[in-house]
């Protein structure tokens, strides 16, 4: 047996149960992992509350972790016992130990700790595809990143800055504004005090933006469109405030022939070659310290419910790591 945190139905934080689950030997194409650090993501909250649908119950939530391989199933050639590995995606992350398909794992390079890997695999790969693939940020671009002091947000600010962009970021407090500024955000906008559309207009001298990265969803969708220049791209990649209401496509024509996408990490990492190339790019910017992984808080595995409460209450900053 091993300890894991599962839900048996959708619900509040109390739905997260710290319990004993079977610890299975790896089958063909699988490895067994002793996990050393687990990442916390807003997606875990969506699956716990039912915003996203779980494939079955009970289910171990958590989609990101780092650890050491301690057993190998038949046919696995890319990894060996003792390898340090990480992953971002799927389920089963909130556990001390687990079995999983080998083809979802990435080797952690020297110079990157397990905690860093757990804090950045999913959030960093998200920043990677958003800034490099969904819209290829160029030197001289000015971009808007919502939740700039969050896990994905702090990575995006630093990476976009490294690419030569000017970064405008929305944050919920003065403390978060300071943190975002220390991580490459040129213009943190405290949205409780300032109107971000107006700030974008001032900063860009009316030109507005080629791209907006919006992870807030319901509360910000329409005003984010107002930050775009004609033919700009709206990247709606999350729903921290709730799902965006159905969109009347006419709004895209009225606001200037806008483009709209609702991307997922999975669709940018479908093949193993894509995953490895994207991860290599992420590890490279971290190893060269263009992007520093900010672990704002850590919790014990049995306290995952408190971690999710704090994430939902906007109390966390940067990435959060859970220790098994
Ligand atoms: P964050 O650390 O960014 O936490 C969410 C932040 O959103 C909060 O700290 C808060 O910052 C802000 N926020 C604004 N409104 C609300 C609200 N009503 N309730 C809660 N928070 C709110 O989380 P993550 O880094 O884990 O994820 C960021 C976003 O990216 C999420 O929406 C997630 O779903 C999305 N995501 C999407 C992926 C994809 O491929 N599509 C992959 C990974 C993540 P503040 O106080 O500054 O307002």
């Amino acid at each position: 047996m091993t300890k894991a945190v599962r839900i048996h139905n959708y619900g509040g934080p109390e739905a997260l149960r710290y319990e004993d689950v079977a610890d299975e030997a790896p089958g063909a194409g699988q490895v067994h992992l002793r996990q050393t650090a687990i990442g916390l993501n807003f997606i875990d909250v969506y699956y716990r509350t039912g915003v996203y649908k779980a494939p079955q119950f009970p289910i171990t939530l958590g989609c990101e972790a780092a650890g050491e391989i301690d057993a190998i199933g038949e046919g696995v050639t890319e990894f060996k016992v003792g390898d340090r590995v990480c992953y971002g995606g799927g389920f089963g992350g909130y556990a001390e130990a687990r079995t999983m398909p080998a083809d979802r794992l990435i080797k952690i390079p020297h110079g990157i700790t397990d905690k860093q890997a757990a804090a950045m695999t999913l959030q960093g790969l998200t920043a990677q595809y958003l800034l490099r693939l969904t819209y290829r940020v160029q030197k001289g671009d000015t971009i808007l990143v919502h939740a700039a002091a969050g896990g994905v947000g702090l990575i995006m600010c630093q990476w976009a800055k490294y690419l030569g962009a000017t970064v405008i970021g929305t944050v919920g407090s003065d403390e978060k504004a300071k943190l975002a500024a220390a991580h490459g955000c040129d213009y943190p906008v405290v949205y409780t005090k300032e109107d971000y559309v107006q700030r974008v207009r001032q900063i860009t001298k009316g030109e507005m933006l080629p791209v907006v990265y919006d992870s807030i969803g319901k509360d910000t969708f329409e005003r984010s469109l107002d930050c775009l220049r004609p033919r700009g791209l709206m990247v709606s990649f999350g729903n921290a405030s709730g799902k965006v209401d159905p969109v009347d496509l006419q709004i895209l024509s009225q606001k200037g022939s806008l483009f709209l996408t609702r991307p997922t990490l999975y669709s940018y990492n479908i093949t193993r070659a894509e995953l490895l190339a994207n991860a290599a790019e992420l590890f490279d910017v971290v190893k060269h310290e263009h992007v520093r992984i900010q672990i704002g808080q850590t919790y014990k595995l049995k306290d995952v419910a408190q971690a999710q409460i704090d994430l939902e209450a906007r109390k966390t900053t940067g990435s959060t790591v859970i220790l098994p």
Side-chain angles (χ1 to χ4, degrees), residues 52-70:
Y52 292 170
K53 297 300 165 207
Q56 86 269 338
F57 290 119
I59 188 164
T60 301
L61 293 186
C63 49
E64 176 180 37
E68 191 177 306
I69 294 178
D70 62 1

Side-chain angles (χ1 to χ4, degrees), residues 125-197:
L125 283 172
T126 301
Q128 189 275 338
Y129 85 75
L130 291 172
L131 297 170
R132 304 283 293 148
L133 302 171
T134 306
Y135 174 90
R136 202 168 176 86
V137 171
Q138 304 288 334
K139 194 169 164 31
D141 280 342
T142 302
I143 70 170
L144 176 63
V145 176
H146 285 296
V152 175
L154 282 186
I155 298 174
M156 287 189 74
C157 288
Q158 296 175 80
W159 202 331
K161 185 80 186 157
Y162 167 62
L163 294 170
T166 298
V167 184
I168 306 173
T170 65
V171 290
S173 67
D174 291 332
E175 295 72 48
K176 288 188 178 185
K178 274 192 208 133
L179 186 68
H183 289 81
C185 181
D186 300 279
Y187 297 100
V189 181
V190 182
Y191 60 79
T192 48
K193 296 200 267 190
E194 286 183 293
D195 180 323
Y196 56 86
V197 182

Side-chain angles (χ1 to χ4, degrees), residues 27-272:
Q30 294 184 326
V31 302
H32 185 269
L33 210 56
R34 184 128 313 269
Q35 302 206 121
T36 49
I38 299 161
L40 180 77
N41 289 280
F42 219 95
I43 300 149
D44 306 345
V45 174
Y46 303 146
Y47 278 115
R48 191 249 299 152
T49 56
V51 171
Y52 292 170
K53 297 300 165 207
Q56 86 269 338
F57 290 119
I59 188 164
T60 301
L61 293 186
C63 49
E64 176 180 37
E68 191 177 306
I69 294 178
D70 62 1
I72 298 265
E74 203 189 313
V76 175
T77 53
E78 206 182 328
F79 299 97
K80 59 181 189 320
V81 169
D83 280 348
R84 287 195 314 129
V85 291
C86 60
Y87 60 89
F91 295 92
Y94 290 170
E96 288 176 346
R98 67 171 299 179
T99 294
M100 65 181 294
D103 64 5
R104 286 189 32 223
L105 293 173
I106 305 160
K107 277 187 192 155
I108 304 174
H110 293 295
I112 293 194
T113 67
D114 288 14
K115 272 194 203 171
Q116 281 177 313
M120 76 175 186
T121 304
L122 192 139
Q123 295 174 350
L125 283 172
T126 301
Q128 189 275 338
Y129 85 75
L130 291 172
L131 297 170
R132 304 283 293 148
L133 302 171
T134 306
Y135 174 90
R136 202 168 176 86
V137 171
Q138 304 288 334
K139 194 169 164 31
D141 280 342
T142 302
I143 70 170
L144 176 63
V145 176
H146 285 296
V152 175
L154 282 186
I155 298 174
M156 287 189 74
C157 288
Q158 296 175 80
W159 202 331
K161 185 80 186 157
Y162 167 62
L163 294 170
T166 298
V167 184
I168 306 173
T170 65
V171 290
S173 67
D174 291 332
E175 295 72 48
K176 288 188 178 185
K178 274 192 208 133
L179 186 68
H183 289 81
C185 181
D186 300 279
Y187 297 100
V189 181
V190 182
Y191 60 79
T192 48
K193 296 200 267 190
E194 286 183 293
D195 180 323
Y196 56 86
V197 182
Q198 267 181 32
R199 287 291 286 137
V200 166
R201 190 166 291 117
Q202 280 167 358
I203 293 161
T204 63
K205 300 188 173 58
E207 275 198 21
M208 311 312 274
L209 308 171
V211 65
V212 171
Y213 294 106
D214 188 336
S215 63
I216 308 300
K218 194 177 177 66
D219 287 355
T220 48
F221 181 80
E222 272 209 50
R223 308 225 65 225
S224 288
L225 297 181
D226 291 332
C227 295
L228 288 166
R229 65 170 66 146
R231 305 192 301 276
L233 174 63
M234 168 68 169
V235 184
S236 173
F237 72 100
N239 348 265
S241 67
K243 278 190 190 168
V244 175
D245 291 327
V247 179
D248 177 356
L249 286 184
Q250 292 311 315
I251 199 170
L252 302 178
S253 84
Q254 285 156 12
K255 291 183 188 283
S257 305
L258 301 180
F259 292 85
L260 168 63
T261 184
R262 176 57 179 91
T264 66
L265 178 62
Y266 174 73
S267 17
Y268 283 88
N269 290 280
I270 295 172
T271 66
R272 180 118 187 102

